[in-house]
Amino acid sequence: MKRREESQFNSKCFTDFDGRFRARLAAVTPRFFASGEESKVVGTGARYNCRIKVEYQKDLMGLLEEGMLLAARNFKQAVFGEERYTLMEISRVWPEHYGLKGLSDHGYYPMQFEIIEQSESDWLTDDKATMMIQIDAIPINYDLVITKDDDFRFIKGFSYPVVGSPVYILNSEMINRMYNRNIVEKMGIDPSKTVEDARLDPRIGIIKMFQASNTIIPIYVDFEKLVRYHFGVFAFTGGGKSNLMSNILRKILLHTRDVKVVVFDISCEYVFLLIDLLADEKIPAKVILENRIESLDQFFNSVVKPREYESDERIKYGLKKIMDQNKVAFYTRPKRKIPTYAEFLEELIEQRKNCVEKPHYLNAIDKIYDAALEYIEEHRLSENQEVCEEFISYISDVAVQTIEEFKVHEKSGLYGWATTRLAILDLIRRRQEDEKREAGGLTTEKIRELLEDETRLICISISDPTTIKELVISLTQDLLIRRKRRFQVKPYILLVFDEAQEFIPELSSAAGIDKKCSKQVETLLRQGRKYGIGVCIATQRIAYLNTNALQQLHTYFVGTLPRPYDRTLISDTFMIDKGILEKTLEFAPGEWLLSSYIATGIENVPIFIKADNSEKEIEKFLRSVSPIL
C-alpha cells in the first residue's frame, strides 16, 4: 500500500494514534431497501454501509471503539484551499487473520487445532501480511469542511466518499468542539475544566471515546431546547433509567433559572433520588404524597429506596430537613363533583337541543350562554377550571331574569335548570369545609397555583394509578388552556412521566381513564412546546406506548433494550440505524446512546455516552447532613 503524504494529514482535526492507524475506504454498499423484510432488519437511518480496511497493529484494537467518527474525502467540490470530508460513525470493529479465515471445518482436525494455536502468537506481532482490522461505518449525513485557517464547519447531507481514499479518525479535541462548542458558548462555561459535580458543572456525562487513552470529553446539552421540545429515556430494568433522569433534572434545576419541574412519580422513588434538591433551602419545592404524613418514620417508610439504602438511617436527616421547611403535603382528591366552566356551557348546549321548536326558549338560552362566556373571558378564566361562587351568583341572577323576560314556563326543563343554579353554591361550600378538615391537602388548582408562584420542583408521589392519572388529566388540561389564553411561554415547565406506559399506553389497547390520560398527554406533546410546556417520558417497554406521542420527542436516550421489537421501534420512530442500536446490548448501567434533533451540538448524530452517577450526589448530601459515620 502506498503511504499517504504527511501533508494530507491534518493533526488539528484528526488522530492516527501516533502513526498506528493507517486505513483506506474499501467499499460503499447501498443499504436502503424500498420494502420487504430486509428493510425492517437494516433500519432506515442510513442508506449506505462503508467498509474500511486498517493495517494491523497489535495494540490498535484496544484503541478503536464503536461510536468514533471517521472522515474520508468525497466527490463534492470545495472552495480553493478547503478540504471536504464525508463523516461516518463506527458501528463494528473486528480483527481478521488470513490463516484463520481460510480454515475449513472440513479440514483435518489436528491441522485445524495447530493453525488456531499458531495464530495466538501472531496477534502479539505487527504482522500486516497475515492480519488486518475491518471496520463497518455508517454515514451520519454530514460533511466536514476544513478551511485554510484550520477552522471547520458542518454541512448537512450525504456526499458519496471516494472509494480507496485514506480514512481518518476525528481526534478528541475535534469531537469536543463538534458536540459542545455552540452549547458551552451559550452557557458560558469552559469544558476543559469539567468535573463530576452537579453544582459546579452542567455536563450530563462524558462521551465514550478515547477512554483507552484516558481522555475525558464532557457532553453538554441545551437545557432550554431539551425541555421545550420533549425528550425520552428508554432502557430495560437495571439500566440506570431513574438514575439518569434524576441526574438530568438535577442539572436543569441547578443550572437554569426559568425552568420548573413536575415529576409524576407513580413508583414513589424520586423523593430519594432528588432528596438533595428537595432539602435545599434555595430551591422552592413541594413533595405531594398520597396520604397525610404524621411522622418522620411514616415519611421514611413511604419513600422507595435502592436496595443498598433501604435501612440507611441517614436518609431520615435529609427527610427531616424537607419536613422542617414545610415542603411536604398530600393530594386532596375531590369528593364532591363541581362542574367546570366547560361543563356548565355544555349543559346550556344540551338545553338548546331540547328546545329547537321553541324560538323564545332558544333566545333565552343564547342570552345566558353569552353572559357566561363573557364572564369567563372578562375574568381570563380557564374552561377547565371549576366554577366559582362569584360566577354562580352572577349567572343565577342572569338566568332568573332571562326566563322571566322570555316567559319560560315554570314546568319546563329550562325553567328548572335556571332556578336551581344556586344549589351549586352549597356544593362549593361543602367542598371548602372538607378541605379545611384536611388542612395541608392540595387540590389540582392549588398545585397549579404553586407552579404559577415561586415553586420550581414538585414531586407528586402517588402510587394509586387512577388517582394520579386523574390528576395528570386535570392539571395538564388546566396548564395548557391557561397558557393558551395568556400566550405565555416562560417560565418553562417540564412534566416528567416515569413508568410512561402507565400514562401513555397504546390507544388500541386502552380504555376508560387509561385512554383519556394517553390522549391528554399526546395533546400536551403536540401543543405544549408552543407554550413552554415540555414533557419527559421514561419507560422500559416502548412497545406498549402511544406511538403518536413518541413521534413528538426531539431528544432521546437509549440504554439496553433486550427485546428486538423495542429496538426496531426505536429505529423506525427516530430514524437511527439498527447497526448502531445493536451496540446498546453491550452497555453497562449508566451507559447511553444519545441523539437529538435540537438539543445537542450537532443534529441527529448518535453519541455513546456514560452519564454521571446521581447516587454520588445523594451520598455527598447524606454525609453532609448526617452525624452518622
Side-chain angles (χ1 to χ4, degrees), residues 234 500-510 514-523 525-526 537 539 541-553 569 573-574:
F234 311 115
Q501 69 276 3
E502 295 285 344
F503 301 99
I504 49 171
E506 177 59 47
L507 291 175
S508 61
S509 58
D514 294 335
K515 190 167 189 176
K516 189 175 180 181
C517 186
S518 184
K519 284 186 173 181
Q520 176 57 31
V521 177
E522 179 187 333
T523 300
L525 281 157
R526 290 182 184 279
I537 62 175
T539 184
R541 280 305 308 271
I542 68 166
Y544 295 150
L545 297 189
N546 181 341
T547 52
N548 294 329
L550 276 179
Q551 290 167 356
Q552 305 302 316
L553 304 179
L569 187 59
T573 305
F574 302 120

Side-chain angles (χ1 to χ4, degrees), residues 364-377:
I365 293 170
D366 290 343
K367 184 173 181 178
I368 300 171
Y369 187 94
D370 290 343
L373 201 59
E374 184 179 339
Y375 183 96
I376 294 169
E377 292 174 353

Side-chain angles (χ1 to χ4, degrees), residues 392-445:
I392 292 299
S393 298
Y394 165 75
I395 206 67
S396 177
D397 291 341
V398 171
V400 171
Q401 293 171 12
T402 302
I403 61 173
E404 290 177 357
E405 178 186 346
F406 287 91
K407 310 297 182 185
V408 176
H409 196 277
E410 62 182 12
K411 292 186 177 180
S412 67
L414 178 59
Y415 184 94
W417 180 90
T419 55
T420 56
R421 293 307 86 199
L422 288 177
I424 299 176
L425 288 179
D426 187 48
L427 278 176
I428 295 174
R429 288 163 186 163
R430 288 185 182 180
R431 165 83 71 82
Q432 291 170 347
E433 291 174 2
D434 291 341
E435 290 175 2
K436 287 178 182 177
R437 285 195 294 270
E438 296 185 3
L442 296 178
T443 61
T444 301
E445 187 171 352

Side-chain angles (χ1 to χ4, degrees), residues 296-311:
L296 180 59
D297 285 338
Q298 187 182 357
F299 192 16
F300 178 79
N301 292 331
S302 70
V303 176
V304 175
K305 301 165 280 291
R307 189 182 312 154
E308 59 271 25
Y309 285 96
E310 283 180 352
S311 57

